């Protein structure tokens, strides 16, 4: 079989050829710049290609949604970024957005409407679940997860913030993985420690770092794979795993990477 | 003698009503010192939330045993109030069991039902008191949670003792009443023994009629005076949640928890800066960004503070608190209420107007270190059984610190700078934003 050719069309290219994508893939800053999360972006793009989804990205026309500025109390910077993004999105007539970042997801979905930006916004866990349900993606030709013990770490901005608990779990179950829950999960899920701007500053004085507390819970399940669905969680949990010197025996993957692996992508 | 009792009762009732009215009015006025915010949309949804969360106690049942015990106290208090109505009428009219002749045989069933409820309240309160004093429930321990030392801890126990005394008064009063009925005292209408208090009757074996009447009157007065005292005490106590839980759940936020309250006052300025709008002479720069003190918060944030019963479920779930940071969402609510009580006293002392006292919620009550430690994870909001939102207050205080005082931590300022210049929180060139696509091969 020939080497598959993956495409990453931009909105600008689409507009130039008078085409409209089914969905805009909002990559986010971590997905664009963080070396680890870039691999998630690539995995998701491969899945979209394989599922023959007509998608596009903004490329260099994308900016931060403004979430970290807003949570850190800087409303000016947030609104500047949000307003510019809305201008770009509306210029291209974007209707539907999918993103792998729960923070981008929350901001685009819940906070842009008040500033004039109205879109249908999905998190990639919901989108992957839809693709699986529609039969556009099915685990085949790749790694099998049957009997593999996987635990899912809820992202606060997906879970409590937006009540999405089942979509990522159903994606994992579709892979036949043996899903095992941590002591604190779903509505009781413990934060990784990165939200609310914490990603960008040192923590306040305390007994322990939050990501250490959380990785201990994840390790206590005995799972050899920790699944996440958020770039910040990925960074914090990976950091915690290094601290526990368990990087060799336990792996952390985004749910999109696991789906890609199951498809040999 | 009977007339004297009636007069004392009426004076007491009037005095208590006045005290409670004045306290309630002060609390109302301190809540309204907050900013306007419309929370009257979607009344159907709001009513459903109140019925589910306040009347139905839905979130309390997350922990079934505690939920059940709490429900026993709650339902007891709501329904026993029907009997309080009779007691008040008896007191004013100088009658005894004024409803008995009206309701006939049904009356005994009704009192029996109330007695079962009273017993439930009694048992639950005894268990709660043991739990608070003996079993070391982590979230109540002042050694671990500094906001619990002193008054808050005592307050919790006083309330339970109050309720135990009230329930014992009513049950022994009914028992003495039954014994007097059996003696054929004409003042005590024949209702028969009651379902729970019959077991208290042996306490009164060998008592003569006069002593029994004195005890019955003593227990009656103890019960009703206790209720009056409790009504006044309530307004100073964390126990105010028994009233405010209802409006507080009704007016709670209906939007997804992740959504932060917008600042429309900034929007027009941003539009001017982006060239989307011309400078408008009418656009006024707000005198303060974010919240420095309680008057900068919304009235709902302030009602939240009065509704808090300091149970600490929020703090127990807070990742910052769990890992030993100074932040405790319960303390945020308690500090807000403390500030409001101080503001209320200030208003009382100055003819109803608040006179600035050089204090502010942030700095004098809540420390910057606390609000900076928040991860905005919404665990506190999720946990609260009466839908209080500590996160909303934290974020408004942050806005003040960062925008008004320009007091952000250095690394946040770096992040803001990166966002302003590179549109990313890290120091990367916007031109490199699409380079990841090279990895898709």
């Amino acid at each position: 079989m020939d080497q598959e050719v993956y495409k990453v069309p931009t909105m600008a290219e689409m507009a130039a050829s008078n085409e409209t994508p089914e969905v805009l893939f909002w990559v986010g800053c971590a997905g664009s710049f963080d070396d680890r999360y870039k691999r998630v972006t690539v995995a998701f793009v491969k899945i979209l290609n394989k599922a023959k989804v007509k998608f596009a990205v903004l490329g260099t026309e994308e900016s931060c949604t403004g979430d970290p500025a807003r949570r850190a109390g800087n409303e000016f910077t947030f609104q500047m970024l949000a307003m510019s993004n809305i201008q770009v999105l509306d210029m291209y007539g974007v209707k539907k957005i999918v993103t792998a970042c729960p923070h981008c997801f929350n901001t685009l979905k819940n906070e842009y409407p008040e500033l004039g930006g109205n879109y249908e916004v999905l998190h990639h866990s919901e989108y992957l679940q839809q693709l699986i349900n529609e039969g556009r993606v099915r685990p085949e030709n790749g790694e099998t997860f049957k009997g593999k013990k996987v635990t899912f770490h809820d992202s606060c901005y997906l879970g409590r913030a937006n009540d999405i608990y089942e979509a990522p779990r159903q994606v994992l179950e579709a892979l036949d993985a043996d899903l095992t829950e941590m002591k604190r999960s779903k509505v009781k899920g413990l934060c990784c420690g990165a939200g609310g701007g914490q990603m960008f500053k040192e923590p306040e004085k305390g007994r322990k770092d939050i990501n250490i507390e959380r990785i201990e819970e994840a390790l206590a399940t005995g799972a050899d794979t920790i699944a996440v669905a958020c770039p910040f969680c990925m960074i914090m949990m990976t950091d915690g795993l290094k601290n526990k010197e368990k990087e060799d025996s336990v792996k952390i993957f985004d749910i999109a990477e696991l789906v890609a692996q199951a498809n040999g992508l | 003698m009977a007339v004297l009792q009636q007069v004392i009762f009426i004076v007491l009732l009037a005095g208590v009503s006045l005290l409670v009215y004045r306290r309630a009015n002060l609390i109302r006025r301190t809540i309204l010192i907050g900013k306007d915010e419309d929370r009257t949309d979607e009344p159907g949804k709001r009513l459903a939330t109140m019925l589910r969360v306040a009347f139905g106690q839905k979130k309390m049942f997350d922990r079934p045993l505690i939920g059940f015990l709490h429900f026993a106290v709650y339902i007891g208090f709501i329904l026993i109030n029907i009997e309080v109505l009779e007691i008040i009428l008896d007191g004013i009219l100088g009658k005894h069991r004024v409803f008995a002749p009206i309701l006939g045989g049904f009356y005994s069933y009704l009192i029996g039902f109330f007695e079962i409820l009273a017993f439930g309240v009694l048992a639950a309160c005894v268990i709660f008191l043991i739990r608070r004093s003996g079993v070391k429930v982590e979230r109540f321990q002042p050694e671990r949670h500094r906001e619990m030392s002193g008054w808050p801890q005592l307050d919790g126990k006083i309330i339970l003792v109050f309720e135990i005394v009230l329930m014992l008064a009513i049950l022994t009063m009914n028992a003495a009443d039954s014994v007097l009925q059996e003696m054929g005292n004409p003042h005590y209408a024949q209702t028969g023994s009651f379902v729970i208090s019959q077991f208290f009757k042996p306490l009164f074996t060998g008592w003569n009629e006069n002593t029994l009447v004195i005890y019955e009157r003593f227990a009656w007065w103890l019960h009703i005076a206790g209720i009056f005292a409790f009504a006044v005490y309530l307004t100073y106590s964390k126990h105010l949640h028994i009233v405010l839980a209802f409006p507080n759940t009704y007016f709670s936020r209906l939007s997804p928890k992740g959504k932060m309250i917008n600042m429309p006052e900034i929007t027009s300025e941003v539009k001017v800066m982006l060239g989307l709008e011309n400078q408008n002479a009418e656009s006024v720069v707000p005198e303060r960004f974010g919240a420095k003190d309680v008057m900068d918060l919304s009235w709902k944030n302030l009602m939240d503070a009065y509704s808090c019963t300091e149970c600490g479920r929020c703090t127990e779930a807070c990742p910052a608190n769990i890992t030993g940071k100074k932040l405790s969402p319960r303390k945020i609510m308690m500090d807000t209420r403390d500030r409001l009580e101080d503001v209320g006293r200030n208003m009382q002392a100055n003819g109803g107007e608040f006179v600035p006292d050089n204090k502010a919620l942030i700095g004098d009550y809540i420390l910057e270190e606390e609000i900076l430690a928040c991860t905005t994870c919404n665990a506190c909001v999720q946990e609260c059984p009466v839908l209080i939102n500590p996160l909303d207050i934290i974020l408004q205080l942050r806005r003040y610190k960062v925008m008004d005082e320009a007091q952000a931590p250095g690394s946040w300022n770096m992040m803001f700078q990166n966002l302003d210049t590179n549109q990313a929180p890290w120091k990367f060139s916007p031109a490199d934003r699409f380079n990841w696509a090279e990895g898709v091969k």
Side-chain angles (χ1 to χ4, degrees):
Chain A
M1 193 181 127
D2 288 337
Q3 178 76 30
E4 189 124 23
V5 184
Y6 299 108
K7 293 197 187 84
V8 194
T10 61
M11 285 305 290
E13 289 162 8
M14 284 253 175
S17 55
N18 248 333
E19 282 187 279
T20 318
E22 209 180 307
V23 65
L24 167 75
F25 171 31
W26 183 276
V27 182
C29 299
S32 305
F33 294 119
D34 177 71
D35 281 338
R36 178 67 188 86
Y37 224 67
K38 278 198 263 186
R39 304 215 306 262
V40 177
T41 308
V42 169
F44 189 59
V45 160
K46 287 181 176 176
I47 297 166
L48 292 175
N49 270 278
K50 160 123 186 179
K52 301 198 169 35
V53 174
K54 194 174 174 191
F55 75 101
V57 297
L58 281 171
T60 53
E61 288 183 282
E62 191 185 282
S63 299
C64 173
T65 59
D67 159 83
R70 187 169 231 202
R71 263 77 201 163
N74 188 337
E75 185 76 4
F76 282 105
T77 298
F78 162 70
Q79 290 205 9
M80 289 288 282
L81 290 164
M83 228 74 100
S84 330
N85 279 325
I86 291 170
Q87 274 185 293
V88 174
L89 290 168
D90 287 352
M91 177 181 81
Y92 287 121
V94 171
K95 300 263 182 307
K96 189 172 175 180
I97 302 174
V98 62
T99 176
C101 173
H103 296 262
C104 297
F105 166 71
N106 178 66
T107 307
L108 291 165
K109 181 177 195 235
N110 296 322
E111 300 182 347
Y112 275 28
E114 271 176 326
L115 300 171
N118 292 287
Y119 321 100
E120 184 195 344
V121 188
L122 295 170
H123 183 251
H124 78 324
S125 60
E126 297 174 292
Y127 200 76
L128 286 170
Q129 187 198 5
Q130 280 180 16
L131 291 177
I132 290 168
N133 288 350
E134 290 163 7
R136 292 168 81 178
V137 169
R138 60 171 65 88
E140 55 187 8
N141 310 323
E143 202 179 321
T144 170
F145 288 90
K146 198 168 176 59
K148 260 200 181 170
K149 220 169 169 189
V150 177
T151 189
F152 178 70
H153 163 76
D154 288 280
S155 150
C156 307
Y157 276 78
L158 199 57
R160 281 183 294 266
N162 288 290
D163 291 322
I164 297 171
Y165 301 105
E166 291 312 317
R169 286 178 170 80
Q170 284 183 15
V171 170
L172 293 172
E173 271 159 16
L175 302 181
D176 240 0
D178 175 11
L179 192 59
T180 163
E181 294 291 347
M182 290 183 234
K183 195 178 89 200
R184 286 176 275 213
S185 69
K186 300 186 184 171
V187 290
K188 304 267 181 198
L190 186 73
C191 174
C192 71
Q198 301 299 337
M199 185 73 224
F200 305 100
K201 72 179 223 337
E202 286 303 310
E204 273 56 44
K205 211 166 98 286
R207 277 193 309 276
K208 189 178 195 179
D209 283 341
I210 296 170
N211 61 336
I212 304 296
E213 174 87 9
R214 188 53 166 169
I215 200 76
E216 284 171 0
E217 262 182 29
L219 292 174
T221 62
D224 44 31
T225 301
I226 301 168
V228 297
C230 168
F232 293 160
C233 297
M234 170 73 89
I235 294 169
M236 297 304 274
M237 296 298 272
T238 305
D239 204 47
L241 198 63
K242 277 194 192 121
N243 182 285
K244 294 281 165 193
E245 297 179 350
K246 291 273 192 212
E247 317 103 285
D248 293 332
S249 51
V250 178
K251 300 287 171 206
I252 303 176
F253 289 112
D254 184 274
I255 55 167
E257 290 179 300
L258 295 174
V259 172
Q261 285 168 18
N263 282 275
L265 299 172
Chain B
M1 183 62 193
V3 178
L4 183 65
Q5 280 198 40
Q6 261 175 282
V7 171
I8 295 174
F9 184 86
I10 290 167
V11 169
L12 202 60
L13 179 64
V16 165
S17 305
L18 185 68
L19 276 177
V20 171
Y21 170 76
R22 284 175 57 178
R23 272 297 292 173
N25 202 30
L26 185 66
I27 290 169
R28 189 183 144 269
R29 274 173 37 223
T30 50
I31 288 176
L32 292 179
I33 207 173
K35 286 186 175 164
D36 265 352
E37 187 189 350
D38 184 25
R39 293 279 182 114
T40 54
D41 57 320
E42 302 194 64
K45 218 169 170 181
R46 293 185 177 282
L47 191 66
T49 306
M50 181 172 77
L51 289 174
R52 197 173 63 243
V53 180
F55 280 94
Q57 313 246 303
K58 167 141 194 305
K59 296 188 96 175
M60 286 305 291
F61 284 101
D62 283 355
R63 304 171 197 212
L65 181 64
I66 298 295
F68 175 75
L69 291 171
H70 184 269
F71 192 80
V73 179
Y74 154 75
I75 202 76
F77 252 77
I78 288 209
L79 295 176
I80 293 171
N81 277 334
I82 302 171
E83 201 191 352
V84 172
L85 179 69
E86 184 191 34
I87 293 172
I88 289 176
L89 287 175
D90 279 349
I92 295 172
L93 304 169
K95 295 262 165 69
H96 183 69
R97 297 199 186 273
V98 70
F99 289 163
I102 304 168
L103 296 174
F106 181 62
Y107 183 81
S108 298
Y109 285 107
L110 199 60
I111 298 293
F113 176 58
F114 290 148
E115 282 201 345
I116 292 170
L117 295 176
F119 182 74
V121 174
L122 182 64
C125 287
V126 168
I127 295 171
F128 283 155
L129 195 59
I130 293 170
R131 195 162 163 266
R132 269 189 185 253
S133 317
V135 189
K136 294 271 173 201
V137 180
E138 203 264 0
R139 60 192 154 97
F140 296 138
Q141 302 313 312
E143 301 80 45
R144 171 68 179 79
H145 300 285
R146 65 198 188 288
E147 70 270 21
M148 292 312 285
S149 59
W151 166 246
Q153 224 198 2
L154 185 65
D155 187 19
K157 289 180 187 161
I158 290 174
I159 292 157
L160 291 169
V161 171
F162 241 119
E163 294 179 20
I164 290 168
V165 169
L166 289 179
M167 294 307 117
L168 284 176
I170 202 163
L171 289 171
T172 55
M173 176 187 86
N174 282 351
D177 189 315
S178 308
V179 177
L180 283 162
Q181 287 176 38
E182 286 160 12
M183 287 179 172
N185 185 313
H187 184 68
Y188 293 90
Q190 289 296 327
T191 55
S193 288
F194 302 113
V195 57
I196 302 287
S197 60
Q198 57 175 319
F199 299 106
F200 287 85
K201 274 160 61 181
L203 283 175
F204 303 105
T205 349
W207 290 39
N208 68 36
E209 197 169 329
N210 262 340
T211 330
L212 272 172
V213 171
I214 290 171
Y215 182 81
E216 193 276 333
R217 283 292 86 194
F218 164 76
W220 189 89
W221 276 100
L222 179 66
H223 179 245
I224 194 65
I227 287 177
F228 287 165
F230 199 57
V232 178
Y233 181 85
L234 200 69
T235 64
Y236 293 93
S237 154
K238 75 181 188 86
H239 213 50
L240 195 52
H241 83 289
I242 66 170
V243 179
L244 288 183
F246 300 94
N248 205 59
T249 48
Y250 183 86
F251 292 118
S252 63
R253 269 178 66 170
L254 299 176
S255 52
K257 289 190 200 66
K259 183 179 176 223
M260 253 177 90
I261 302 270
N262 192 30
M263 290 182 76
E265 62 268 38
I266 283 178
T267 309
S268 78
E269 201 172 325
V270 168
K271 281 186 173 163
V272 171
M273 283 163 83
L274 288 172
L276 298 171
E277 219 171 62
N278 290 325
Q279 190 76 50
N280 190 337
E282 283 165 38
S283 67
V284 269
V285 181
E287 55 181 285
R288 185 172 287 160
F289 294 111
K292 179 187 184 187
D293 208 345
V294 285
M295 10 329 214
D296 307 318
L297 294 169
S298 104
W299 65 269
K300 181 56 174 59
N301 299 136
L302 307 185
M303 182 185 266
D304 274 359
Y306 279 114
S307 306
C308 173
T309 197
E310 303 165 11
C311 72
R313 284 166 171 76
C314 51
T315 294
E316 194 179 53
C318 172
N321 193 279
I322 288 170
T323 55
K325 276 82 174 176
K326 277 217 169 102
L327 173 64
S328 159
R330 169 173 56 189
K331 182 178 174 292
I332 299 289
M333 302 319 299
M334 291 169 71
D335 287 343
T336 305
R337 179 169 177 171
D338 285 347
R339 176 60 181 153
L340 278 172
E341 296 276 2
D342 286 347
V343 167
R345 274 189 284 275
N346 178 310
M347 285 164 74
Q348 271 185 316
N350 295 297
E353 284 298 312
F354 176 71
V355 177
D357 56 359
N358 283 320
K359 280 187 172 180
L361 183 60
I362 182 75
D364 295 303
Y365 297 78
I366 298 171
L367 303 177
E368 189 184 2
E369 184 182 340
E370 298 170 40
I371 59 166
L372 284 180
C374 175
T375 68
T376 70
C377 77
N378 266 304
C380 54
V381 183
Q382 177 75 41
E383 284 303 308
C384 183
V386 295
L387 309 183
I388 291 169
N389 191 331
L391 176 57
D392 200 23
I393 296 181
I394 293 172
L395 288 171
Q396 292 181 71
L397 296 173
R398 264 192 192 175
R399 278 174 169 168
Y400 170 75
K401 269 292 180 195
V402 169
M403 282 190 283
D404 213 286
E405 286 195 339
Q407 293 278 329
S411 41
W412 271 1
N413 280 329
M414 289 284 291
M415 183 249 292
F416 298 150
Q417 211 181 338
N418 288 331
L419 286 171
D420 289 337
T421 52
N422 329 320
Q423 293 83 50
W426 297 290
K427 210 177 173 96
F428 288 109
S429 163
D432 294 337
R433 193 178 263 275
F434 196 33
N435 292 359
W436 60 265
E438 287 159 18
V440 192
K441 290 287 174 277

